[in-house]
Amino acid sequence: SPVGDEEEALAIGLEALVVGEEAGQPFTAAVAHGTVAASLRRLMRLDEALDHAGSAIRTFRELGARWELAGALGDRGAAYRVAGRLEEAETDLREAFVLCRDLQERALVPWTAAELARILAMRGGPSAARSILSEPSTKLAEGEPGSATALLTAECVVAMAEDDRATARAKARSAIEVEGGPGAPPNVHAGQVWWAGMLFGADDVGGPEALDEARATLERHHWAQALREPDLVADLLA
């Protein structure tokens, strides 16, 4: 998904789901439901995404699979956020964050904390968002590219909620730098360029051509959520 076409990623996820269901393997099918849900969210097919995420969550609860449950709750929370259902998003992400923190899971804690902080800031609670971002568990993997980008984006949203555009702009620029090195996933990098350019102007990302190139990459690879993200934040904070 970060390097290719989301439609192709969805097709692979759906194939995996069929395999898991035909084999009678609930855990395998639940993992596939989660993968499909994430792809559908990026494609902005949100009702379908929420259905698949719900299936994954139910199975993981039944199986007592806490790590996988945390990830599935986080993904559904992100889908709720994009759908504008912030109260439901906060409920899912709070549960996911507690699970991640208890598990001390490096791969999940920063991303989950970042999503929760974004929602709290967008609901009018920047101080609560900063409290989440300052927790020691949130910083378990803050130096790693994916985690760093998620946290920088959350800090950008919190700064915007506080009407601190200078800090917000600096965080957005830092996220581009983190995701812009050699071998960086093109869709992730394009998403950060689009985010910063649409919120703060094309000059912040290298000019109109760079912004157009980012949009073309996201459109070509069907990363519809990334194209929508700046508007979601700008509309709510306005």
Side-chain angles (χ1 to χ4, degrees):
S1 172
V3 301
D5 189 332
E6 195 63 47
E7 293 281 6
E8 294 179 9
L10 175 61
I12 295 169
L14 289 169
E15 184 180 357
L17 179 57
V18 170
V19 171
E21 290 179 336
E22 290 183 348
Q25 295 289 333
F27 182 84
T28 300
V31 172
H33 272 300
T35 300
V36 168
S39 281
L40 289 167
R41 168 171 51 80
R42 294 187 196 99
L43 291 163
M44 290 297 287
R45 293 165 55 179
L46 299 179
D47 288 341
E48 296 170 84
L50 289 167
D51 285 344
H52 281 280
S55 295
I57 288 167
R58 285 190 296 273
T59 300
F60 290 141
R61 284 198 196 280
E62 292 169 2
L63 296 175
R66 297 174 71 216
W67 187 93
E68 290 79 9
L69 175 60
L73 284 165
D75 276 338
R76 188 172 70 174
Y80 276 138
R81 175 181 63 78
V82 178
R85 296 163 62 175
L86 298 187
E87 184 174 353
E88 292 159 292
E90 182 179 339
T91 298
D92 272 358
L93 283 156
R94 282 193 181 279
E95 182 180 357
F97 183 63
V98 170
L99 283 167
C100 292
R101 187 176 55 193
D102 290 348
L103 292 166
Q104 290 290 294
E105 173 47 56
R106 290 173 59 87
L108 291 178
V109 172
W111 182 87
T112 305
E115 276 289 328
L116 178 56
R118 288 176 65 164
I119 289 163
L120 292 172
M122 292 163 73
R123 297 194 74 193
S127 61
R130 289 211 174 276
S131 177
I132 293 293
L133 293 175
S134 66
E135 287 207 17
S137 59
T138 297
K139 303 180 183 301
L140 281 173
E142 65 177 342
E144 298 172 10
S147 297
T149 303
L151 293 171
L152 286 166
T153 302
E155 289 168 0
C156 174
V157 174
V158 174
M160 290 179 67
E162 295 170 334
D163 202 25
D164 183 356
R165 287 185 62 83
T167 297
R169 178 180 285 111
K171 297 297 183 181
R173 286 175 173 169
S174 294
I176 293 174
E177 293 172 3
V178 168
E179 293 292 353
N187 296 342
V188 178
H189 178 65
Q192 293 303 140
V193 170
W194 181 252
W195 166 269
M198 292 302 293
L199 289 176
F200 305 111
D203 288 345
D204 274 43
V205 299
E209 290 184 0
L211 192 58
D212 288 344
E213 182 180 348
R215 184 187 66 240
T217 297
L218 297 173
E219 289 176 345
R220 183 170 63 253
H221 293 159
H222 301 99
W223 266 40
Q225 179 189 343
L227 287 165
R228 183 78 178 100
E229 284 285 8
D231 291 337
L232 290 172
V233 175
D235 290 349
L236 277 168
L237 293 180

